[in-house]
Amino acid sequence: RDHDKTLEEAEITAAMKKILNGLTDLGIHKMQEHLDYYIDLVNKGQKSFSDALEELIDIEKKNNQLRAENACVKTANFPFIKTLDDFEFDFQPGINRKEMLELGNLGFIDRKGNILFVGSSGVGKTHLATAIGIACARARYSTYFISFESLMTQLLKLPTPMWCVEP
């Protein structure tokens, strides 16, 4: 019997290695990280196989979504990572909190609106623009951050002002 048990354990180990290698080959990393835990739950009868598989798939989908969001944020060239939750509205009473939070909901995109922050130095324009831009990037909108100075420098390098051609 000990021989049969050892053989069965070896077969399970080999099957597990194949599964883990397959998950690695497919780039399914989060599911792989949680697999032992869910196998344990199924073996103990605390979770059905289909429920465990559904939860593992959900974990992997959430991880893929997070990775895609983070890639969009990284590609967008933000000077730092800040959100509207990080903004201290109490120190800038002239900034309408409700209006900024509404912009953070991204409704302006559906309305094909634009946002332009104008003001003196140090009032939070870059923070707010970055926060709203990060919300856009996380929602998978094509987003790119550039300062006005950098934009103008790049535009001025173009051959005979292509960017100011009259209609």
Side-chain angles (χ1 to χ4, degrees):
R1 287 189 174 208
D2 286 339
H3 175 70
D4 290 342
K5 188 175 181 184
T6 305
L7 185 59
E8 185 180 321
E9 287 174 353
E11 288 173 354
I12 290 171
T13 302
M16 213 29 205
K17 283 182 181 177
K18 276 180 139 178
I19 290 168
L20 292 174
N21 287 338
L23 291 173
T24 298
D25 291 347
L26 292 171
I28 301 174
H29 303 291
K30 278 295 177 191
M31 187 184 285
Q32 186 177 353
E33 286 176 28
H34 297 276
L35 192 59
D36 285 338
Y37 171 75
Y38 279 94
I39 287 173
D40 222 26
L41 290 177
V42 170
N43 286 338
K44 290 177 181 175
Q46 295 174 342
K47 197 165 283 291
S48 71
F49 175 77
S50 59
D51 285 346
L53 188 57
E54 188 177 320
E55 287 180 28
L56 283 165
I57 289 169
D58 193 46
I59 287 169
E60 191 66 32
K61 284 170 54 178
K62 286 178 181 172
N63 182 60
N64 288 347
Q65 176 68 26
L66 183 62
R67 284 179 44 223
E69 288 175 7
N70 289 338
C72 289
V73 168
K74 185 176 181 180
T75 303
N77 193 44
F78 294 110
F80 45 75
I81 303 299
K82 296 276 186 178
T83 66
L84 289 173
D85 291 336
D86 299 323
F87 193 79
E88 296 187 32
F89 288 97
D90 295 338
F91 289 105
Q92 294 297 341
I95 295 176
N96 184 325
R97 175 191 292 250
K98 185 178 176 186
E99 186 177 352
M100 290 302 115
L101 295 176
E102 177 60 33
L103 290 171
N105 289 333
L106 311 182
F108 71 94
I109 294 173
D110 293 332
R111 294 187 302 275
K112 299 185 183 348
N114 295 304
I115 302 171
L116 177 64
F117 292 113
V118 179
S120 55
S121 183
V123 295
K125 297 179 302 295
T126 301
H127 182 141
L128 292 170
T130 298
I132 293 167
I134 286 173
C136 291
R138 286 186 174 151
R140 309 285 296 276
Y141 287 103
S142 179
T143 309
Y144 189 76
F145 181 93
I146 189 167
S147 69
F148 179 74
E149 180 181 358
S150 293
L151 177 62
M152 292 310 297
T153 299
Q154 289 180 26
L155 288 174
L156 290 171
K157 288 179 183 176
L158 290 174
T160 313
M162 292 175 56
W163 49 274
C164 63
V165 174
E166 292 188 32

